[in-house]
Amino acid sequence: MAPLAKNADALVQVIDVYKAYGSIEVLKGISMQVTAGEVVCLIGPSGSGKTTLVRCINHLETIDSGRIIVDGEMIGYRMKAGRLVEQSGKVIAAQREKIGMVFQRFNLFPHLTALENVTIGPIKVQGRNPAEVEAEAASLLRSVGLQDKMRNYPAQLSGGQQQRVAIARALAMKPTVLLFDEPTSALDPETVGEVLEVMRAVAATGMTMIVVTHEMGFAREVSDRVVMMDGGKIIEEAPAAEFFGAPKSERTRAFLRGVS
């Protein structure tokens, strides 16, 4: 297994990760690091492995080999007699508490209000004081511009509003790192901007973020580093200004021409 260079600030380490679905290899030896406070955007064509990679980081997908380390802890597995053995469900659930996830399709509970969707995790999973959690949740919903929608149910909210609730819900768990899987892909064009604005504000707080996105303007403006994936491999990564200003790979240049 190819080790990564030591980096004392690396909060997330993906080390030589492979993942296949049957005979189809989706991740082919992915290695990358994300430092604390960094915003990294994953871009690339559909089917390149971006979504699978972020789902592996919080163990929503298992890996075939390699390892993923978040905040010094191997995610989903432990070593036993030189082999990876999957952790218990209880351990994995505890690990996921530090890894927030915002999905394409919001995944809100339809029978709960916006406020209840944000409070349920901290109260039920973390066992925190309900009054304290509700005050924090109300503050989070205000911060994403939904102070007048707290008692609304998801069906009463637009797609952009639902996604902003989902972001508040993820932040309510006080995660160490926040993963976004194409958070604007299911939205009407009119509501994309309001979600991106919330994501910009979250990034400005210093939250470590890994963002799968097709929004090149956001990647150029907000990300510290851009990672280009294709065919299950990382083919180029660089600081945003360098990546967009002088991409080295012809594949990257062709992709950027196609999405510009």
Side-chain angles (χ1 to χ4, degrees):
M1 183 180 297
L4 290 174
K6 287 187 179 294
N7 184 341
D9 295 323
L11 183 64
V12 179
Q13 298 180 78
V14 178
I15 306 173
D16 203 27
V17 166
Y18 285 79
K19 170 68 179 177
Y21 298 106
S23 62
I24 301 173
E25 281 191 302
V26 181
L27 301 178
K28 305 174 183 177
I30 297 291
S31 293
M32 62 179 281
Q33 293 182 334
V34 180
T35 59
E38 190 176 22
V39 178
V40 173
C41 282
L42 301 179
I43 70 168
S46 296
S48 60
K50 308 181 302 296
T51 289
T52 299
L53 176 56
V54 295
R55 289 176 64 85
C56 287
I57 290 173
N58 69 352
H59 203 67
L60 288 175
E61 298 283 353
T62 60
I63 61 176
D64 297 326
S65 63
R67 65 188 70 180
I68 295 170
I69 298 169
V70 176
D71 200 19
E73 185 174 9
M74 184 162 30
I75 300 301
Y77 298 92
R78 58 188 172 86
M79 296 300 298
K80 183 177 181 180
R83 297 178 58 236
L84 289 178
V85 177
E86 193 168 15
Q87 293 277 18
S88 69
K90 183 177 180 179
V91 170
I92 292 168
Q95 291 179 332
R96 286 198 185 117
E97 288 185 37
K98 68 172 71 173
I99 308 170
M101 182 84 172
V102 178
F103 300 89
Q104 296 180 33
R105 292 283 176 181
F106 329 134
N107 289 7
L108 300 179
F109 292 109
H111 63 291
L112 300 181
T113 66
L115 185 65
E116 290 166 340
N117 264 282
V118 177
T119 60
I120 188 170
I123 292 172
K124 298 292 188 182
V125 177
Q126 296 178 330
R128 295 177 54 209
N129 178 273
E132 176 185 297
V133 169
E134 184 164 326
E136 290 182 5
S139 178
L140 283 169
L141 287 168
R142 283 193 295 272
S143 75
V144 299
L146 294 175
Q147 59 274 4
D148 59 341
K149 302 291 184 181
M150 294 188 192
R151 305 297 175 182
N152 288 41
Y153 291 90
Q156 299 170 311
L157 302 174
S158 70
Q161 289 168 340
Q162 290 185 62
Q163 194 62 294
R164 284 185 278 159
V165 173
I167 293 171
R169 177 184 61 183
L171 291 171
M173 297 293 285
K174 302 184 185 297
T176 302
V177 58
L178 194 49
L179 311 176
F180 293 83
D181 181 19
E182 298 191 25
T184 60
S185 66
L187 301 179
D188 294 330
E190 289 182 345
T191 62
V192 168
E194 65 191 43
V195 172
L196 292 178
E197 189 57 39
V198 169
M199 292 171 63
R200 289 186 183 93
V202 173
T205 69
M207 172 63 69
T208 307
M209 296 167 55
I210 302 174
V211 184
V212 176
T213 186
H214 291 295
E215 300 289 341
M216 294 302 108
F218 175 86
R220 184 191 298 266
E221 175 190 348
V222 179
S223 65
D224 298 293
R225 189 157 43 93
V226 181
V227 175
M228 168 78 180
M229 293 183 64
D230 191 26
K233 297 181 178 181
I234 292 174
I235 62 172
E236 184 166 354
E237 59 180 303
E242 179 183 334
F243 184 92
F244 288 105
K248 296 180 174 62
S249 163
E250 174 53 37
R251 180 67 186 94
T252 300
R253 292 193 291 270
F255 177 79
L256 292 177
R257 286 196 297 271
V259 297
S260 61

